[in-house]
Amino acid sequence: MTRSPGREQVSRVLQQHGAPMVLAALVIIGSLAFDSFATAGNAASVLVSSSFTAVIAIGMTFVIISGGIDLSVGSLFVFGGVLAAYGSQYGLFVALALPLAACGLVGLLQGLLIARTGMAPFIVTLAGLLGVRGLMLAISGEGATTYLVEDSAFARLGQGGLLGLTWPVYITALLAVAAMVLLQRTAFGQNVYAVGGNEQGAALMGVPVARTKVYVYLMSGLLAGLAGVLNAARLSSGVTILGIGLELDVIAAVVIGGTLLTGGAGGITGTIAGVLLLGVIQSLINQVGNLTSAFQQVVSGLFLALVVVAQRLLGRAQRLG
């Protein structure tokens, strides 16, 4: 069958840039439908609330492109926040170093188990989800103890800002740019794509498959912990009831952004668009006023289902084009 370069190119563009296109359409619709939607205050609110999810989603993008999955990020997010608030009584350095070291260690151990033993990422990170949440409950007295942030410099990290945006938004932007460069312009990034596209073929080509897997899970753990740190600084406390189901929101944002669950394709730009898309949906629901927050889960689920179906259809079109 003769391949159609034009059809294949259109399919690839839709797969890679579909989320930004839908995001732009929703912003236009929201701006026309609601007077309070297209305001600086509402835009800042969406960016601030989405920044923490985006930090985790950056790490998840690397994991999914490599052909894996990380279900532990929601628990690591809460764990990092609790450790940051606890460590703040000893100063800014401990408030930052303690949660990053702990969450990075969890990510490293998960990566080693997956890469060195061949265990399924779903099982390893599910165990991580349960184990880390258990650790968090243990150090917080089954959730009864909420540690308060006692270092003002640490609190300013989450509450201070510039031009109406808090520092987590700027940190997220810097991380996104760094991740784009790492993924697209370095040998490590190409190794991530190669492992996710064809692990056996990558190994035959000399790609360090095991090391690449360890690094992506280490990165995912560190970024989930960092998101928890920033959130604790914003709230001035280590809230123990957050993060339940967050891993599913993160995975949904990454997949909606065009990263294939089967691995080997995706990018940071699409992931950020996917995160913002979910944030805009929540904002539109708030604008309507008579819809509950649970409605966002319904819409997010529908979006995810439609995107997965679209990915399969576009992939088939590329093969048959």
Side-chain angles (χ1 to χ4, degrees), residues 149-213:
V149 170
E150 300 182 15
D151 184 81
S152 59
F154 177 63
R156 285 196 297 272
L157 181 64
Q159 299 169 17
L162 184 67
L163 301 176
L165 298 175
T166 55
W167 294 125
V169 176
Y170 295 102
I171 293 172
T172 302
L174 289 174
L175 288 172
V177 172
M180 290 178 195
V181 174
L182 184 62
L183 193 57
Q184 301 292 339
R185 302 295 182 184
T186 68
F188 171 71
Q190 298 310 305
N191 290 344
V192 173
Y193 281 111
V195 171
N198 187 330
E199 184 175 327
Q200 293 181 342
L204 292 175
M205 292 172 58
V207 173
V209 174
R211 189 195 313 163
T212 301
K213 288 184 177 182

Side-chain angles (χ1 to χ4, degrees), residues 12-30:
R12 186 178 296 109
V13 168
L14 289 175
Q15 178 180 310
Q16 296 177 349
H17 305 292
M21 293 165 63
V22 174
L23 175 61
L26 282 182
V27 169
I28 293 173
I29 292 172

